[in-house]
Amino acid sequence: MSKKSLITILTTLILAPALIVLTWKFNIHYYITGTLMVILCMIPFFISFEDRKPEARELVVIAVLVALSVASRAAFIAVPMFKPVIGMIMIAGFAFGSQAGFLTGAMTALISNFIFGQGAWTPWQMFSWGLSGLIAGFLSKKGLVTGNGRVKEAISGFLIVLLVVGPALDTSSVLTMLAKPTLKSAWPFYVSGFPANISLAICTVLTLVFLSKPMLEKLNRIKLKYGMME
Amino acid sequence: MAHFEIKNLNFSYPTMPDKLALEDINLSIEKGEYVTVFGKSGSGKTTLLKHLKSVLTPHGTTSGEVYFDNKLLSSIDLRDQSSKIGYVMQNPDNQIVTDKVWHELAFGLESLGYDQKTIRLRVAEMASYFGIQGWFNKNVSELSGGQKQLLNLASIMAMQPEVLILDEPTSQLDPIAASDFLNTVRKINLELRTTIIITEHRLEDVLYASDKVVVMDKGKIIACDEPRKIGEYLKKENNEMFSAMPTPVQVYYGVEDKFDKNIECPLTVREGGDFLSTIFEGKDIKEKEIDIPEVRLDEGMNPAIMVKEVWYRYDKNSPDILCGTSFMVPHGKLFAIVGGNGTGKSTMLKSICNICKPYRGEILLDGKRLTKYKDSELFKNYLAMMPQDPQSLFVKKTVKEDLLEMLRGSDADKENKIREIADLCEITDLLDSHPFDLSGGEQQRVGLAKVLLTNPKIILLDEPTKGIDSFFKIKFAEILKKLNEKGVTIVMVSHDVEFCARYADICAMFFNGTVITTNTPNKFFSMNSFYTTAANRMSRHIFSNAINCEDVINLCQKNL
Amino acid sequence: MENATRFSQYNPIINFTFFIGAICCSMLFMHPAYLVASIFMSLAFNLSTKGLKSLKMIGFLLLVFAFVTVINPILNTAGNTVLFTYFNDRSFTLEALTYGFVFASIFVSVILWFSSYNAIMTSDKFVYIFGPVLPAISMIISMVMRFVPNYSTKAKQISTARQCIGLAGENGDKKDRLKNAESILSSLTSWAFEGGISTADSMRSRGYGTGKRTNYSIYRFDYHDLSLLITMILLLGIVAFCSISGATKVEYLPEISINWFDNIYTLVGFIAYVLFLSLPTILNIKEEITWRILRSRI
């Protein structure tokens, strides 16, 4: 780890508690606090990527993965029920590991919103989509999910959407719509968000079941061709 | 002092360690020279060019040295190399990195760490020199292919290179954009003294400008001489690459025994015309015309395709793309539609496939209305279209799997069909390769094989000769002729005037959304004075309907 | 750059600073006067940026406003002034309803600010701002913006190509169609990465990664930008100072208590706040008027 990364992480560790104190003291809108926290959490990922001075091929691989995911989100914009994008991000994570998975997820959220519109949800979407790629990469590194089968991929996709992506986005809407949310006042939002989350989870499962095997075949060939095999 | 000096260079790829991709290359290139490297695809041209820039040099076993400015290339700093040696690649799209024209122009300078002020000046200079001001603020995706390649060239010239290496830069462009591009390269060479090293199929546009032509075959340099001598060498060796020489050169050596005056070999149409005038000076020309068997255009009652007054536009509020087009295509013929960019040729093909549905007029296939066909019967055993980019057809890991995708039935049956089609398209050796690893000409044939597996009676081809070299074109034409003999009707849309003149049965000119004229190639091209073949342009003041170099040679032989 | 407004022509740093300032302030200040200012100025700016198109949003915004207003008192029963009770003793209080209004105002004005943000902050402006800090990430954004339209075109080409050889599965069942979609994506993926190799080569060939890299841009930071930036910072400073001095002190729960304009800080802070939020709208309108005058003189 370089000096820059170390400083970034230390700054994050100091800033996060400071933020909570400030919020408590000055009665700051919870959304601002929450969003700043989310951004703080993402900064180390971006900085450590920059720090590595990635070479041209790495940039191209991530750009292509992001562009494919963005295009997949755009392709199904006419079918609001079907959202393959989390599945695509997870496949990227399976094939290229946690860091690439996180970047693909976060940047897909950011860039597709340049096309569909940025909003208060952007940082939350970046964070949660990034996490889904990160977890996918982690699972595949630990050998828990190979990406070649169907069952484990489907389960992991289902759980990631239901436990990470869905709740994160629900939290962002709770924070924008409710003053001083408590567990008691916030639960209706999570309940009302549940059907949408289930639908997203099913789409992700379908995408993974149908695509992960053929896509990974292609991506593995690409890794060979780009000389990226570890 | 040579600018580039290559000494005893040998190279082999790790996948094929026994086969030398480059063998014993010795070459010296002077400052300011214009060098054309020429050879069949797969002869090692690209591999050679890539050895002239360290970051692009492929992995493999190398021996020998490359010197740049008398220094070993590998010892020169990469940063220096990237500014001094510019490299333009084949595909205009893939080379562009950023989304804005201005950003792309600045990309190289940013990488070299120039400051804002210098970059601003250089970018402005380049935009003015290359006439880019008009689209400076645009998104790259709004540009045409020709503009994109010009942008690539400009963004490299912004780094003020001493050498410009171009690897088949015009293979993806239409003929007009290609000539424009090559003229710009020529201008750079003449005005800025930049050394040019170029590989190119379109020899007619580069040969006259070259100081030196390098001919490669199977990884070796078989000839390196000034352009007027190269034709002589290839003719003497009876090398098949002679067929790729520009028309004037072929005509010159075709009638070589008929004149004994000391005349230089012509390279351009103008020189070719002068050459013909000289050899016929004071001679009486008895036969001005070549006999061609009459092809009746209205054969049969039901033509394979009949297009009647078709109108089409993409949107209600957009302009018409097809404006009352009518024509018909007889059975078993090769029907070529020629015309410029954006005239609606490709849209015409899509209408015949029922993808672009006309809002007025009708299309009949074998006398039956297109709208009456179901998609399932239309594209099974009847009609098929080959897209402009054959890569659009490739889905699987190997060529064979891709072909299998088309077939139903028992395994033995499938094997048979694949063997048959692979034989016809000459792709038997490629069956186990990955489709994306093939060369342009090979991909073209694999694409055709995949299309042919639908067992079509009518095939539509969109720009089939784009990006393939003249040897593959001959092979491709042979396959088309075989299909014609089997009774298959072929309609092709093309910019490639020379190909259509030589191989088509009927040519039609498309302009502004309609077919203007339809005729046999000889009549068609001899009536045109700009949109015609080089052979016709150089001989029209003497012969009336010669359109291929064989025609010209024949008539010369008869009259001398 | 169609219909570029005056404000959108300022340096992206100015654009970005303004939006961050406006959005954060709109969320921070719950003082009713400040809220009204924020809603009106965000609507005015949206109108001056997007023209009559922005009126289409009004219906939707009213709906959102009503929803957020009502949802708060239903979910939150705190507050002293009970308006009515329902469902056995669940109280609906005035204070919670007021809080609902406050949040609805915040929510709507943030939506409006973002709507203008999306019209002005294009991806290349974003890249310009973050390029120096996050060069690799910015490079990726720029590349993705280049790839996406390419991929859409290519996907259409592949789909047409497959249709023309009878592989589209148009008349087949759902499984055939899914299979076709998978094939299109597979083919697109191979094609995209294959092209990517040339893209990477082209980058390296033009010196990417050989050392220090600078960021060029067509945006300039001139005198106008500087003066606007200073004005914005000055105004925000006044707003912040007044706010810390109690200008925006409000309590809604359990009882409503508000500092009104008899407090000097509230008054000064409010004026500075309105000025800040209306800066871009004023610039846009001024430009528009100048043009009208120039045109009428021709």
Side-chain angles (χ1 to χ4, degrees):
Chain A
M1 205 184 294
S2 78
K3 230 185 208 166
K4 206 167 151 195
S5 308
L6 208 68
I7 292 171
T8 319
I9 290 171
L10 284 177
T11 322
T12 315
L13 286 177
I14 297 164
L15 272 181
L19 198 63
I20 295 174
V21 172
L22 277 175
T23 310
W24 180 67
K25 196 131 195 217
F26 287 100
N27 195 15
I28 292 175
H29 196 310
Y30 282 9
Y31 172 80
I32 295 183
T33 318
T35 305
L36 285 177
M37 290 290 248
V38 163
I39 294 174
L40 274 180
C41 289
M42 285 191 284
I43 287 174
F45 286 101
F46 289 122
I47 294 293
S48 74
F49 179 69
E50 291 288 351
D51 227 32
R52 230 158 27 89
K53 300 242 173 331
E55 59 164 316
R57 288 198 172 187
E58 268 185 273
L59 291 192
V60 169
V61 165
I62 290 174
V64 173
L65 289 170
V66 173
L68 284 171
S69 308
V70 173
S72 83
R73 190 178 173 200
F76 286 97
I77 196 73
V79 196
M81 287 307 291
F82 196 76
K83 297 189 182 91
V85 65
I86 305 287
M88 293 287 292
I89 292 166
M90 286 183 62
I91 292 172
F94 287 149
F96 293 97
S98 292
Q99 191 179 40
F102 181 86
L103 286 171
T104 307
M107 309 242 345
T108 301
L110 177 68
I111 296 175
S112 59
N113 286 348
F114 277 120
I115 301 164
F116 302 109
Q118 306 285 359
W121 54 83
T122 302
W124 297 80
Q125 213 171 26
M126 285 174 72
F127 184 62
S128 63
W129 290 14
L131 272 188
S132 62
L134 179 116
I135 296 170
F138 177 77
L139 290 176
S140 114
K141 198 184 169 195
K142 291 275 162 216
L144 294 171
V145 171
T146 54
N148 278 324
R150 294 199 160 159
V151 182
K152 283 184 194 161
E153 288 70 18
I155 295 173
S156 64
F158 193 80
L159 292 179
I160 285 177
V161 172
L162 230 47
L163 300 178
V164 179
V165 179
L169 292 176
D170 290 339
T171 307
S172 109
S173 50
V174 166
L175 292 182
T176 38
M177 282 198 231
L178 280 191
K180 307 271 149 25
T182 57
L183 216 57
K184 220 170 113 195
S185 64
W187 67 264
F189 281 88
Y190 291 98
V191 171
S192 68
F194 195 66
N197 291 343
I198 285 280
S199 135
L200 181 61
I202 291 173
C203 292
T204 307
V205 167
L206 280 178
T207 314
L208 287 171
V209 166
F210 269 94
L211 286 181
S212 59
K213 200 174 171 189
M215 283 287 281
L216 278 170
E217 261 175 19
K218 307 258 157 182
L219 296 180
N220 283 334
R221 176 184 135 79
I222 296 307
K223 283 202 311 207
L224 254 172
K225 240 191 146 159
Y226 278 59
M228 292 180 73
M229 276 315 224
E230 301 102 303
Chain B
M1 187 182 103
H3 209 184
F4 260 119
E5 180 92 49
I6 304 170
K7 282 187 183 156
N8 309 320
L9 183 68
N10 289 287
F11 176 78
S12 62
Y13 282 100
T15 44
M16 279 182 281
D18 305 328
K19 197 180 151 230
L20 283 175
L22 293 176
E23 194 178 339
D24 203 23
I25 302 285
N26 282 293
L27 183 64
S28 127
I29 294 166
E30 301 300 322
K31 170 114 190 84
E33 261 189 329
Y34 189 122
V35 179
T36 302
V37 181
F38 162 63
K40 290 191 202 181
S41 56
S43 61
K45 291 175 301 205
T46 304
T47 315
L48 175 61
L49 294 197
K50 287 195 165 171
H51 274 85
L52 303 182
K53 182 151 183 164
S54 295
V55 284
L56 298 177
T57 305
H59 294 291
T61 325
T62 317
S63 68
E65 296 94 35
V66 180
Y67 293 94
F68 178 68
D69 273 344
N70 291 337
K71 268 179 263 165
L72 207 57
L73 184 70
S74 51
S75 71
I76 299 173
D77 177 39
L78 288 183
R79 216 169 163 90
D80 266 1
Q81 281 194 33
S82 45
S83 82
K84 283 189 183 151
I85 307 171
Y87 197 105
V88 180
M89 291 177 250
Q90 202 169 20
N91 188 312
D93 253 312
N94 294 339
Q95 292 172 69
I96 300 176
V97 179
T98 62
D99 58 333
K100 298 279 179 192
V101 170
W102 60 264
H103 198 179
E104 193 61 26
L105 277 175
F107 183 88
L109 300 168
E110 289 182 326
S111 301
L112 297 179
Y114 283 97
D115 61 46
Q116 184 88 357
K117 221 170 136 193
T118 316
I119 298 183
R120 181 165 291 152
L121 176 65
R122 291 263 193 105
V123 163
E125 233 188 334
M126 282 307 119
S128 316
Y129 188 80
F130 288 95
I132 288 174
Q133 307 98 313
W135 29 284
F136 186 69
N137 284 316
K138 276 195 180 177
N139 284 329
V140 169
S141 55
E142 295 167 55
L143 306 184
S144 72
Q147 287 175 323
K148 282 179 187 160
Q149 197 64 309
L150 201 61
L151 172 61
N152 285 321
L153 180 61
S155 70
I156 286 162
M157 290 310 294
M159 300 165 76
Q160 303 181 340
E162 293 169 11
V163 190
L164 191 57
I165 302 170
L166 305 106
D167 186 11
E168 295 185 10
T170 66
S171 68
Q172 301 297 315
L173 308 184
D174 66 77
I176 293 169
S179 304
D180 280 352
F181 183 85
L182 292 172
N183 284 335
T184 310
V185 172
R186 168 104 172 114
K187 187 174 131 186
I188 290 170
N189 176 249
L190 291 177
E191 293 180 358
L192 306 172
R193 256 186 98 226
T194 312
T195 309
I196 308 280
I197 306 169
I198 185 170
T199 65
E200 181 59 52
H201 295 319
R202 308 165 48 83
L203 285 178
E204 62 273 20
D205 283 331
V206 290
L207 214 53
Y208 74 93
S210 310
D211 299 302
K212 199 185 268 173
V213 178
V214 176
V215 184
M216 290 192 70
D217 193 22
K218 296 188 184 108
K220 278 188 241 173
I221 292 181
I222 58 168
C224 173
D225 213 332
E226 57 175 284
R228 289 183 209 276
K229 301 261 172 68
I230 287 295
E232 189 186 343
Y233 168 82
L234 291 175
K235 180 72 185 176
K236 201 175 73 207
E237 296 284 306
N238 214 357
N239 194 308
E240 58 175 329
M241 269 184 263
F242 182 73
S243 66
M245 286 282 128
T247 311
V249 179
Q250 295 199 41
V251 170
Y252 178 87
Y253 288 104
V255 295
E256 173 173 46
D257 47 337
K258 294 290 177 188
F259 58 91
D260 44 20
K261 281 162 273 177
N262 203 1
I263 308 174
E264 268 204 328
C265 175
L267 293 176
T268 61
V269 167
R270 193 185 91 184
E271 290 174 2
D274 291 348
F275 162 72
L276 287 181
S277 301
T278 318
I279 60 172
F280 282 107
E281 209 178 327
K283 287 204 174 95
D284 200 25
I285 297 155
K286 282 157 277 170
E287 270 193 80
K288 292 188 113 178
E289 219 168 282
I290 199 153
D291 317 317
I292 313 125
E294 194 75 6
V295 178
R296 280 172 55 87
L297 293 181
D298 49 351
E299 260 174 327
M301 286 311 289
N302 278 334
I305 301 171
M306 169 89 112
V307 176
K308 280 189 192 165
E309 298 281 325
V310 163
W311 293 75
Y312 177 80
R313 59 175 84 143
Y314 280 95
D315 258 322
K316 195 161 171 262
N317 298 319
S318 64
D320 284 314
I321 308 287
L322 302 177
C323 318
T325 313
S326 303
F327 62 89
M328 58 183 198
V329 182
H331 282 282
K333 294 276 186 278
L334 178 51
F335 186 95
I337 301 175
V338 296
N341 250 350
T343 49
K345 291 177 302 174
S346 296
T347 311
M348 189 63 246
L349 285 192
K350 282 185 192 154
S351 302
I352 298 176
C353 284
N354 210 16
I355 286 169
C356 294
K357 297 183 173 68
Y359 68 92
R360 203 183 299 151
E362 59 182 10
I363 298 171
L364 306 168
L365 299 181
D366 278 313
K368 185 175 163 186
R369 268 195 208 178
L370 181 62
T371 42
K372 295 266 160 70
Y373 286 93
K374 279 187 209 128
D375 264 10
S376 52
E377 53 176 346
L378 194 60
F379 295 119
K380 203 148 218 176
N381 307 326
Y382 190 58
L383 177 72
M385 178 160 91
M386 169 123 150
Q388 205 174 98
D389 180 2
Q391 287 184 350
S392 301
L393 292 168
F394 304 149
V395 179
K396 304 282 196 236
K397 292 197 289 287
T398 64
V399 170
K400 194 167 178 188
E401 277 181 56
D402 248 317
L403 296 180
L404 279 172
E405 192 196 16
M406 304 298 299
L407 297 170
R408 304 274 175 277
S410 74
D411 283 351
D413 212 28
K414 286 184 188 171
E415 285 291 331
N416 269 336
K417 278 206 180 123
I418 286 184
R419 203 174 309 134
E420 202 179 298
I421 216 79
D423 223 33
L424 175 72
C425 297
E426 300 180 37
I427 54 168
T428 317
D429 299 339
L430 312 175
L431 284 177
D432 294 319
S433 317
H434 194 286
F436 280 91
D437 288 342
L438 306 177
S439 75
E442 289 166 342
Q443 287 184 344
Q444 195 72 30
R445 293 206 302 275
V446 171
L448 184 66
K450 193 164 180 180
V451 170
L452 287 178
L453 282 175
T454 62
N455 195 19
K457 307 264 179 310
I458 303 172
I459 303 178
L460 311 176
L461 306 169
D462 195 355
E463 297 288 354
T465 58
K466 192 173 181 177
I468 61 179
D469 68 20
S470 44
F471 316 103
F472 276 127
K473 278 185 198 170
I474 296 172
K475 227 175 210 180
F476 191 71
E478 282 165 7
I479 298 169
L480 296 186
K481 282 292 151 197
K482 273 187 218 161
L483 290 170
N484 272 156
E485 279 160 25
K486 288 185 183 169
V488 177
T489 310
I490 301 171
V491 180
M492 66 178 266
V493 146
S494 182
H495 289 301
D496 192 339
V497 172
E498 308 283 336
F499 186 87
C500 296
R502 188 172 294 253
Y503 300 108
D505 296 306
I506 305 162
C507 286
M509 173 93 176
F510 213 83
F511 178 72
N512 203 13
T514 68
V515 167
I516 307 272
T517 53
T518 310
N519 222 322
T520 57
N522 281 72
K523 284 195 180 143
F524 179 90
F525 287 111
S526 51
M527 284 189 311
N528 295 351
S529 45
F530 295 95
Y531 207 81
T532 180
T533 60
N536 185 254
R537 276 178 278 138
M538 71 178 259
S539 70
R540 61 188 308 124
H541 61 300
I542 296 181
F543 308 128
S544 66
N545 69 346
I547 58 166
N548 297 323
C549 48
E550 286 80 15
D551 297 347
V552 180
I553 294 170
N554 268 337
L555 284 174
C556 287
Q557 296 282 9
K558 281 184 192 159
N559 285 306
L560 284 172
Chain C
M1 287 232 238
E2 35 173 336
N3 292 329
T5 55
R6 179 66 190 104
F7 182 65
S8 71
Q9 289 166 341
Y10 274 92
N11 188 287
I13 293 174
I14 303 284
N15 299 155
F16 198 68
T17 314
F18 174 76
F19 280 115
I20 291 291
I23 290 170
C24 286
C25 286
S26 298
M27 285 184 161
L28 277 172
F29 301 134
M30 300 188 197
H31 192 287
Y34 281 62
L35 289 172
V36 172
S38 154
I39 284 208
F40 275 97
M41 289 336 295
S42 61
L43 185 63
F45 180 47
N46 200 263
L47 270 167
S48 80
T49 304
K50 293 169 81 176
L52 292 177
K53 255 199 296 186
S54 85
L55 288 178
K56 282 184 193 160
M57 282 172 65
I58 298 258
F60 164 73
L61 288 178
L62 285 175
L63 215 71
V64 169
F65 192 90
F67 175 76
V68 178
T69 308
V70 176
I71 199 85
N72 259 292
I74 290 178
L75 295 175
N76 190 347
T77 52
N80 290 346
T81 326
V82 177
L83 290 178
F84 57 88
T85 56
Y86 60 105
F87 281 162
N88 304 332
D89 233 23
R90 216 179 143 77
S91 44
F92 193 98
T93 69
L94 175 68
E95 286 80 4
L97 184 66
T98 318
Y99 226 139
F101 269 119
V102 169
F103 260 77
S105 315
I106 293 177
F107 197 63
V108 165
S109 61
V110 168
I111 291 180
L112 280 166
W113 287 126
F114 266 114
S115 162
S116 313
Y117 174 98
N118 284 324
I120 288 173
M121 287 298 293
T122 48
S123 64
D124 59 316
K125 292 191 179 179
F126 193 85
V127 166
Y128 167 76
I129 295 170
F130 289 96
V133 200
L134 300 169
I137 299 286
S138 306
M139 198 69 241
I140 292 179
I141 295 179
S142 181
M143 283 158 87
V144 174
M145 295 311 280
R146 150 117 192 85
F147 289 158
V148 170
N150 257 11
Y151 291 4
S152 310
T153 317
K154 187 66 191 178
K156 253 177 238 147
Q157 279 175 15
I158 296 172
S159 161
T160 312
R162 291 180 69 75
Q163 200 182 340
C164 288
I165 53 171
L167 284 177
E170 288 250 313
N171 303 313
D173 50 11
K174 270 207 176 121
K175 205 179 160 192
D176 274 0
R177 264 192 263 170
L178 265 174
K179 196 101 196 109
N180 187 44
E182 180 212 303
S183 300
I184 293 175
L185 190 68
S186 289
S187 179
L188 181 66
T189 307
S190 296
W191 175 86
F193 277 106
E194 212 69 38
I197 292 184
S198 313
T199 313
D201 276 349
S202 153
M203 290 168 77
R204 294 195 306 152
S205 158
R206 283 184 285 163
Y208 189 87
T210 55
K212 191 179 146 276
R213 193 180 150 79
T214 49
N215 279 284
Y216 171 69
S217 120
I218 48 172
Y219 300 109
R220 288 153 182 265
F221 197 91
D222 59 17
Y223 163 75
H224 293 280
D225 295 306
L226 187 66
S227 56
L228 185 59
L229 187 65
I230 290 173
T231 316
M232 286 190 337
I233 290 173
L234 220 62
L235 287 173
L236 276 178
I238 297 173
V239 172
F241 174 76
C242 293
S243 180
I244 290 169
S245 315
T248 53
K249 197 165 172 359
V250 282
E251 293 281 343
Y252 291 103
L253 288 172
E255 218 161 82
I256 300 176
S257 97
I258 299 169
N259 272 351
W260 286 107
F261 292 132
D262 44 4
N263 181 325
I264 181 70
Y265 288 120
T266 310
L267 186 65
V268 173
F270 179 73
I271 292 170
Y273 188 51
V274 171
L275 269 176
F276 171 73
L277 291 184
S278 54
L279 271 177
T281 319
I282 293 171
L283 289 168
N284 285 349
I285 292 173
K286 196 181 138 228
E287 176 99 336
E288 182 75 11
I289 291 171
T290 316
W291 272 113
R292 297 247 162 134
I293 293 171
L294 281 177
R295 215 175 295 153
S296 66
R297 283 203 192 130
I298 297 170

